């Protein structure tokens, strides 16, 4: 199994690059943002609880997100590997993910961190907000999401750095340029499917 984390702040391009990667390498995509938005749109108990945090730009509590990930991994036992997008976002989530993968005799192979200057993040998120219809893509909530990222999620990079798994990748070039850099890193581990 090859397991990859695509890491970085809101607006860094994780979603776009995940789509490129998963089609090229046949990996299963796990995006906690997408899973949560699906729960919200189905108005499940989990979704109604999560929405309060999401609409305020805050992280959803760890136990909620970790439970969702556990059932996703269990439901895809034959996967070639997973690409985790928007997860883990706290050190507690990172430790929980390590334990979940250990149970499957697997581990995180690499963490690719997309580095984009803050002004560019805001510009991208505001422009996405015009078409996305996402209730958290307003300037006020974007500012809170970025603040939450630097407070709680950025430290997760240090966690993976301590295991020599973190690779920092410039994410402010074009989509194609960024994908080319990511491919080079991924192909140190696996070939296209
Ligand atoms: P972005 O990366 O653009 O902020 P996401 O779609 O990944 O967007 O996440 C949207 C929101 O969903 C986050 O602001 C947060 O409230 C919630 N969320 C997503 N993933 C997680 C996670 N791993 N832990 C806690 N909350 C999460």
């Amino acid at each position: 199994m090859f397991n990859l984390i695509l890491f970085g702040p809101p607006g860094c391009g994780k979603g776009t690059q995940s789509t490129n990667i998963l089609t090229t390498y046949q990996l299963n995509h796990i995006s906690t943002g997408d899973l949560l938005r699906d729960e919200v749109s189905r108005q499940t108990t989990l979704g109604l609880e999560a929405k309060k945090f999401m609409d305020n730009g805050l992280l959803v509590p760890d136990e909620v997100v970790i439970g969702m990930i556990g059932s996703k991994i269990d439901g895809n036992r034959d996967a070639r590997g997973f690409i985790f997008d928007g997860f883990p976002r706290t050190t507690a989530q990172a430790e929980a993910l390590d334990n979940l993968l250990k149970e499957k005799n697997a581990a995180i192979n690499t963490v690719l961190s997309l580095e984009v200057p803050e002004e560019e993040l805001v510009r991208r998120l505001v422009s996405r907000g015009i078409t996305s219809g996402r209730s958290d893509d307003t300037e006020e909530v974007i500012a809170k999401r970025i603040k939450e990222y630097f407070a709680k999620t950025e430290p997760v990079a240090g966690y993976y750095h301590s295991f020599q798994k973190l690779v920092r990748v410039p994410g402010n070039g074009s989509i194609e340029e960024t994908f080319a850099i990511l491919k080079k890193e991924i192909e140190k581990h696996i070939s296209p499917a």
Side-chain angles (χ1 to χ4, degrees):
M1 244 194 178
F2 171 74
N3 296 303
L4 161 78
I5 294 172
L6 211 51
F7 188 81
C12 72
K14 297 187 296 286
T16 307
Q17 297 298 342
S18 290
T19 311
N20 283 336
I21 295 168
L22 69 100
T23 50
T24 306
Y25 302 98
Q26 299 273 303
L27 300 173
N28 277 49
H29 184 209
I30 299 189
S31 155
T32 42
D34 288 350
L35 292 173
L36 288 167
R37 278 185 289 278
D38 180 58
E39 298 278 346
V40 172
S41 73
R42 290 189 289 116
Q43 302 194 326
T44 62
T45 313
L46 191 159
L48 294 173
E49 177 63 17
K51 188 174 173 10
K52 296 184 232 158
F53 294 93
M54 296 168 79
D55 283 351
N56 282 305
L58 300 173
L59 293 183
V60 172
D62 285 336
E63 59 276 15
V64 173
V65 188
I66 292 166
M68 273 188 345
I69 289 276
S71 51
K72 262 294 195 202
I73 296 177
D74 281 340
N76 290 282
R77 286 169 181 278
D78 301 327
R80 186 183 193 212
F82 292 96
I83 164 162
F84 295 96
D85 162 4
F87 179 89
R89 261 176 153 98
T90 61
T91 307
Q93 291 180 18
E95 288 167 352
L97 179 59
D98 279 348
N99 290 331
L100 286 168
L101 291 173
K102 213 176 273 166
E103 286 169 19
K104 311 266 172 298
N105 291 318
I108 290 298
N109 298 89
T110 189
V111 180
L112 303 179
S113 173
L114 287 170
E115 315 272 311
V116 177
E118 195 167 330
E119 322 78 76
E120 173 67 8
L121 297 175
V122 176
R123 199 189 58 73
R124 288 184 189 177
L125 290 166
V126 170
S127 99
R128 181 176 79 186
I130 297 165
T131 51
S132 71
R134 267 178 59 166
S135 53
D136 60 349
D137 275 347
T138 62
E139 230 162 308
E140 191 196 346
V141 181
I142 288 167
K144 288 197 194 156
R145 281 158 61 202
I146 292 178
K147 191 163 166 250
E148 188 85 333
Y149 172 82
F150 284 106
K152 296 188 183 153
T153 306
E154 232 275 321
V156 178
Y159 175 84
Y160 289 109
H161 179 70
S162 71
F163 298 105
Q164 285 94 42
K165 289 185 178 173
L166 185 79
V167 181
R168 295 188 187 273
V169 165
N172 53 347
S174 68
I175 292 174
E176 294 74 22
E177 282 163 351
T178 305
F179 185 45
I181 304 171
L182 294 174
K183 272 170 81 169
K184 232 172 146 176
E185 288 301 327
I186 294 170
E187 289 178 20
K188 291 179 182 170
H189 302 267
I190 53 165
S191 309

